[in-house]
Amino acid sequence: IQLIHAERGYLVLRDKMTGELVFRVARNITGSLSESEFIISKTIVGEVARTGVAVVTTNATDDERWNSNVSVVGLKLRSILCVPLLLRNEVTGVLYVDNRIRTSIFGDKEREMLSAFANQAAIAIENARLFERARSNLQEATRVKDVMDNVFASIGSGVITADANNTITLMNDAAERILEVTRDAALQQPLLTTLLPLSQELPAMLNRVWARNFQEALEVSPTLPGHAEATVLSLTLNPLKDAASVTQGVALVVDDLTEARRRDDQLKAIRRYLTPQMVDNIQSIDQLGLGGERREVTAMFIDVRGYSTFPSTLSPIKFMQVLNQYLTVAADQLAAQSGIIDKYMANEVMALFNTQLNPAEDHSFRAIMAALDMADEYVKQFYPQQGEPANVRHYRIGIHTGIATLGNAGSETRKEFTALGDSINLTHRLLENAQPGQIIISRETFLHCAERLAAD
């Protein structure tokens, strides 16, 4: 538009699937045009697309070739220049520019200039299309190329590609972060120059990839710059093959396993103290991430003792000591029935049965037994030790069975496994309606274990 003093310009490309001409760009000197501003002679566009011959008219309304055309007459078009986009003698689209006000704007000079520009544009557009096709073909290519595609899409994995001379041609952000190497320092450098500090085995590994055209994997533990401890890395070298299955380069996939190995070591230590089933359950919860799953559970809320019933003369330190003793009795009886404590809320305890951590088909029965054992322990053992009167009852308990959402809430750095939903809220309302010394269970809890209660 600027070079040939046009008023407006349009790029029209042929859809390779349908063969139809489609407007891709429409603008004037100041910016893009809306579809309502597509004031153009479609007859001229169609003629150029069909014949591959440029059209120049100094005044379309006086040009015998076009002055009978409805769009030319109705739109009062003047100077028009339309050239084809030619690629290997095939018309892939047209460039159309015009000026509705001035006549005799375009001549042979402008036609040649725009034709040269159009030919360069045709090549550039075709290259872009070829690139897009190459990207889509990755999904249908070899497993190695699928791996590369997945790696590039992954935030956590790094990828480095090298050409037939083992010169680094690409390095993504994750690879920079994991290897502590900047992209500027690595690109166009020999692959082994960058990677050799990671392991002395890499040269032989690279040779095998080229010789056998198969994937090679290696786990290394180098001490990277800026790290006091060794970093555990998984390195996977893949041959990059062309359509003829000829290897043209290699791709290195890098994963940082340091945190995973640290967690594994922690789990090994935990396994010395917990059953294998419990450890497996912990792992299944961690895999949920910041999310959850719907599950039937039995929830229990325990108020071990109301604040107002504690002697007002207790110091803050003594008060916490006594309160913790009440909470310990509840915790011990919950543990005896495989219940887990979701949280402590001052003088209240929230417990869950049949979570991913403690699955049990008889979860409602276990909750009731825990509540009864808790009451028995308070009345027969704990209250007498505290010097409480024989008829005193401080505990209140609510139990309900229903569907809840169980999972991890919080952030990536600090998570809390918990349960949410109406069934949890209903459980707490049962607690609120219980009198001191009462255990209230819902109808759902009773029906869930009615046969077991009758048998016992």
Side-chain angles (χ1 to χ4, degrees):
I1 292 175
Q2 289 177 327
L3 289 176
I4 61 177
H5 307 293
E7 181 189 2
R8 301 164 311 156
Y10 301 86
L11 171 64
V12 185
L13 297 180
R14 190 183 302 280
D15 188 309
K16 289 200 171 185
M17 298 297 293
T18 65
E20 296 180 357
L21 296 172
V22 181
F23 282 90
R24 297 302 300 270
V25 179
R27 60 169 297 146
N28 56 25
I29 195 65
T30 60
S32 299
L33 301 175
S34 64
E35 190 170 348
S36 62
E37 297 176 283
F38 288 6
I39 304 171
I40 188 171
S41 173
K42 294 183 179 179
T43 302
I44 294 178
V45 169
E47 179 69 12
V48 173
R50 183 181 64 82
T51 63
V53 178
V55 168
V56 183
T57 176
T58 57
N59 189 344
T61 56
D62 294 336
D63 194 322
E64 294 181 354
R65 296 175 297 170
W66 317 111
N67 58 12
S68 61
N69 185 268
V70 174
S71 60
V72 170
V73 175
L75 300 175
K76 298 180 180 179
L77 300 177
R78 296 289 189 270
S79 298
I80 298 175
L81 173 56
C82 186
V83 300
L85 274 69
L86 292 172
L87 184 70
R88 294 186 291 273
N89 296 322
E90 179 186 351
V91 179
T92 60
V94 301
L95 275 175
Y96 176 103
V97 295
D98 66 11
N99 193 306
R100 295 172 296 175
I101 302 172
R102 297 174 58 189
T103 60
S104 303
I105 293 292
F106 309 127
D108 291 340
K109 176 183 176 182
E110 287 75 18
R111 175 180 56 78
E112 292 175 1
M113 184 184 301
L114 195 62
S115 294
F117 178 79
N119 290 334
Q120 292 297 317
I123 295 172
I125 291 169
E126 180 64 14
N127 287 340
R129 285 173 166 172
L130 288 173
F131 179 73
E132 286 300 317
R133 281 201 295 271
R135 288 180 56 187
S136 64
N137 286 341
L138 287 176
Q139 299 177 356
E140 302 173 3
T142 64
R143 188 179 71 85
V144 173
K145 289 187 178 180
D146 287 333
V147 170
M148 281 194 63
D149 187 61
N150 292 334
V151 167
F152 275 99
S154 170
I155 296 175
S157 296
V159 63
I160 300 174
T161 64
D163 59 19
N165 297 317
N166 288 326
T167 299
I168 295 176
T169 57
L170 184 145
M171 184 176 190
N172 72 347
D173 293 341
E176 282 189 292
R177 184 183 69 254
I178 294 172
L179 299 179
E180 300 287 346
V181 176
T182 65
R183 186 183 286 107
D184 292 339
L187 290 180
Q188 302 306 315
Q189 297 299 314
L191 182 63
L192 290 178
T193 300
T194 301
L195 300 182
L196 196 57
L198 302 180
S199 173
Q200 296 299 316
E201 299 179 42
L202 280 167
M205 178 180 173
L206 183 60
N207 288 336
R208 288 194 300 272
V209 170
W210 278 104
R212 302 175 185 175
N213 283 331
F214 285 120
Q215 181 188 87
E216 288 276 340
L218 179 67
E219 188 172 301
V220 298
S221 299
T223 300
L224 298 175
H227 292 253
E229 299 179 356
T231 301
V232 182
L233 300 178
S234 170
L235 307 179
T236 305
L237 268 174
N238 303 281
L240 288 177
K241 302 178 183 180
D242 59 19
S245 295
V246 177
T247 299
Q248 301 292 342
V250 294
L252 174 71
V253 180
V254 185
D255 284 300
D256 189 346
L257 305 180
T258 308
E259 188 61 32
R261 290 292 181 267
R262 186 178 293 116
R263 287 198 300 267
D264 289 342
D265 292 340
Q266 292 172 344
L267 284 174
K268 288 178 182 177
I270 292 173
R271 287 182 190 275
R272 301 191 187 106
Y273 304 97
L274 299 178
T275 64
Q277 180 183 9
M278 181 65 79
V279 175
D280 292 339
N281 291 340
I282 291 173
Q283 289 178 304
S284 70
I285 288 176
D286 185 59
Q287 291 170 0
L288 288 175
L290 290 175
E293 66 177 34
R294 300 279 287 170
R295 187 182 181 97
E296 183 183 61
V297 295
T298 296
M300 177 191 298
F301 279 94
I302 308 114
D303 180 351
V304 297
R305 180 170 179 175
Y307 281 128
S308 62
T309 65
F310 283 97
S312 59
T313 57
L314 289 177
S315 67
I317 295 177
K318 183 62 176 177
F319 172 77
M320 290 300 299
Q321 291 175 345
V322 175
L323 177 60
N324 286 336
Q325 291 174 351
Y326 278 87
L327 295 171
T328 299
V329 173
D332 289 345
Q333 301 310 315
L334 289 168
Q337 294 294 337
S338 299
I340 64 166
I341 295 174
D342 180 278
K343 59 177 65 72
Y344 291 103
M345 299 171 289
N347 60 321
E348 292 184 11
V349 183
M350 175 182 169
L352 298 170
F353 295 79
N354 197 40
T355 70
Q356 297 94 322
L357 277 174
N358 60 341
E361 292 184 3
D362 59 344
H363 50 92
S364 58
F365 181 78
R366 287 176 177 269
I368 293 174
M369 290 300 102
L372 293 174
D373 292 343
M374 202 179 301
D376 199 49
E377 180 69 18
Y378 277 128
V379 173
K380 294 182 179 180
Q381 300 290 333
F382 185 73
Y383 291 159
Q385 293 173 1
Q386 299 297 316
E388 296 284 354
N391 62 342
V392 73
R393 302 287 187 275
H394 293 304
Y395 63 84
R396 296 185 302 140
I397 300 174
I399 304 173
H400 173 62
T401 301
I403 302 296
T405 299
L406 282 81
N408 298 315
S411 67
E412 289 294 343
T413 56
R414 177 67 172 89
K415 300 176 185 177
E416 180 180 274
F417 181 73
T418 190
L420 304 170
D422 292 338
S423 60
I424 305 302
N425 298 333
L426 175 57
T427 308
H428 197 267
R429 286 196 293 271
L430 294 178
L431 170 70
E432 293 171 344
N433 282 277
Q435 297 299 313
Q438 279 189 341
I439 301 172
I440 298 181
I441 69 173
S442 68
R443 176 179 175 83
E444 288 77 10
T445 298
F446 172 76
L447 292 176
H448 191 270
C449 61
E451 293 184 4
R452 181 73 181 273
L453 289 173
D456 289 6

